[in-house]
Amino acid sequence: MAAGALMEFGMVDLLRAAWVAATLPILVASVPVWPISFFHKILAVFAARGKTMQSSTKLIVPQRFFLHFYVIAIILNTTLVFSTWFYAYNRMTPLASESLQFSTIASHLTGTSHMFSIHKSVITPMKRRLEVWRTVLVLLMMEAQSLRRLYETINVFHYGPSARMHVFGYLAGLFFYTAAPLSLGSTCALEGLSYLGNQIVVFIVKGRSQMPDIKFFHWELLIPFLSLGWCQWLGASLFVWGWIHQLRCHAILGSLREERGADEYIVPNGDWFEYVSCPHYLSEIVIYAGMLIASGAFDLTIWLLFFFVASNLIFAAAETHRWYHHKFESYPSSRRAIIPWIF
């Protein structure tokens, strides 16, 4: 356990340093000061993709490579969800006053107790148990986000052969969808993986016949979520709100790609497009804000992840908004780049 804790602290420090290193260039490039304006141009080239990319840009890859981001995210995040949930179910229950309930005590007296045990609840502080279950909830949110984005990449966005993105943006995407799940689960992900690994080793050494009979009760897998606080419910609600609107906005963009020709662009309308040029970016910020709140909003690593998401998308939205105004003379003047009525 001590070695696992040391590894976890080392990973957390590395993730935090990575998020700071990734966010600082965006913040510097966003400062409207002439001596560093060249830095803005360089970053704009690196971040460009699709319609905002210049034809002379070198080191490009097909935009359909977005698929790689979500495949990586799903593989990694699913592993973290399974191991952390398995760990939480076995070692971090019951929550709240469940350990003192008559039904739990009676099950021990009659010898019918299973994974929920008084012993496990006593040796683990309540604060830690709630932290692990909050992590499971946030990782489930990331799973829902990654699965939907994978579906949209395959079935909604029809990237043409000329759709490209800079290789720097591609590498940044690979970094993000590797580091984001690790950051969301940084407080206990390695602990959960270690626990699952130990159980697998025990299973291999002892064999199935020597292992205790483990029973999973499906409704009990969900009960701990009901014991989480209002902060988790608020975060989950915010996540769902942003998730639904991003789904709608991506459907609008996908339908425009089906209607237009290879080199023709149409001004999108509907849903949050009536207020901002990049509502899919706005909704993504809302999604990660929901994850931040659901996590309890106390983890610096998740705050740094959120700051990167917000700064990166605001920068990209400003570039896209500028492109829209340059491309369409009659572009709606009331629309802002990403924040309604403000920016």
Side-chain angles (χ1 to χ4, degrees):
M1 186 67 71
L6 289 174
M7 289 178 60
E8 203 161 275
F9 281 124
M11 183 187 73
V12 168
D13 291 339
L14 183 60
L15 287 169
R16 290 176 179 178
W19 289 125
V20 171
T23 305
L24 279 179
I26 301 173
L27 297 179
V28 172
S30 301
V31 177
V33 179
W34 178 80
I36 58 175
S37 60
F38 73 95
F39 196 69
H40 179 278
K41 295 179 181 178
I42 293 174
L43 193 61
V45 171
F46 287 161
R49 58 176 180 262
K51 57 182 176 288
T52 61
M53 174 165 284
Q54 300 178 4
S55 57
S56 59
T57 303
K58 306 297 182 182
L59 298 175
I60 56 177
V61 296
Q63 199 169 352
R64 65 175 181 274
F65 279 13
F66 267 107
L67 179 72
H68 302 169
F69 303 161
Y70 310 124
V71 170
I72 289 174
I74 289 170
I75 292 173
L76 177 57
N77 197 78
T78 301
T79 303
L80 295 177
V81 168
F82 178 79
S83 59
T84 307
W85 204 344
F86 181 75
Y87 172 64
Y89 181 79
N90 281 274
R91 304 298 300 174
M92 298 294 162
T93 51
L95 293 178
S97 60
E98 295 172 36
S99 59
L100 299 179
Q101 290 179 356
F102 173 80
S103 59
T104 306
I105 297 173
S107 67
H108 279 268
L109 294 175
T110 58
T112 59
S113 63
H114 47 280
M115 300 307 253
F116 290 112
S117 70
I118 294 178
H119 173 69
K120 293 168 186 172
S121 66
V122 170
I123 63 175
T124 306
M126 175 61 66
K127 182 179 179 181
R128 178 57 176 170
R129 282 180 277 152
L130 290 171
E131 183 179 42
V132 174
W133 279 104
R134 283 196 298 262
T135 300
V136 176
L137 175 63
V138 172
L139 287 173
L140 284 173
M141 292 179 183
M142 186 64 186
E143 188 80 355
Q145 175 69 356
S146 301
L147 286 171
R148 199 202 76 240
R149 295 301 300 271
L150 177 64
Y151 168 81
E152 290 171 339
T153 301
I154 297 173
N155 298 292
V156 177
F157 294 128
H158 305 283
Y159 297 113
S162 61
R164 294 287 188 269
M165 61 179 166
H166 199 281
V167 69
F168 182 86
Y170 174 71
L171 295 176
L174 293 179
F175 156 74
F176 177 82
Y177 282 101
T178 301
L182 291 173
S183 297
L184 294 171
S186 61
T187 59
C188 57
L190 292 182
E191 197 173 332
L193 287 171
S194 177
Y195 178 79
L196 178 61
N198 289 337
Q199 296 303 305
I200 294 174
V201 170
V202 171
F203 176 82
I204 294 173
V205 172
K206 290 187 175 182
R208 178 67 185 90
S209 61
Q210 300 297 318
M211 293 291 290
D213 188 20
I214 299 178
K215 295 180 180 179
F216 287 94
F217 297 84
H218 300 297
W219 62 276
E220 288 180 346
L221 286 170
L222 303 176
I223 282 180
F225 294 114
L226 302 178
S227 299
L228 298 177
W230 64 268
C231 199
Q232 283 66 57
W233 291 107
L234 175 61
S237 300
L238 193 63
F239 171 85
V240 171
W241 184 48
W243 196 91
I244 291 174
H245 278 286
Q246 190 173 64
L247 176 67
R248 292 174 178 172
C249 293
H250 282 169
I252 292 171
L253 290 175
S255 66
L256 293 181
R257 283 177 175 155
E258 291 179 348
E259 295 174 7
R260 67 175 174 82
D263 299 318
E264 181 185 358
Y265 290 94
I266 303 172
V267 175
N269 292 284
D271 202 74
W272 286 356
F273 277 108
E274 302 302 319
Y275 307 101
V276 294
S277 296
C278 299
H280 48 312
Y281 294 164
L282 172 60
S283 55
E284 184 133 347
I285 293 175
V286 172
I287 285 169
Y288 282 91
M291 293 184 190
L292 173 64
I293 294 173
S295 72
F298 61 86
D299 189 341
L300 177 60
T301 309
I302 301 181
W303 272 105
L304 293 174
L305 161 63
F306 175 74
F307 285 145
F308 172 79
V309 170
S311 60
N312 179 54
L313 294 180
I314 289 173
F315 182 89
E319 294 300 309
T320 302
H321 187 66
R322 190 176 296 109
W323 181 90
Y324 273 127
H325 277 282
H326 177 75
K327 181 72 175 179
F328 303 101
E329 294 182 359
S330 59
Y331 190 73
S333 59
S334 61
R335 288 190 193 181
R336 296 296 182 259
I338 190 170
I339 304 175
W341 310 293
I342 299 176
F343 176 76

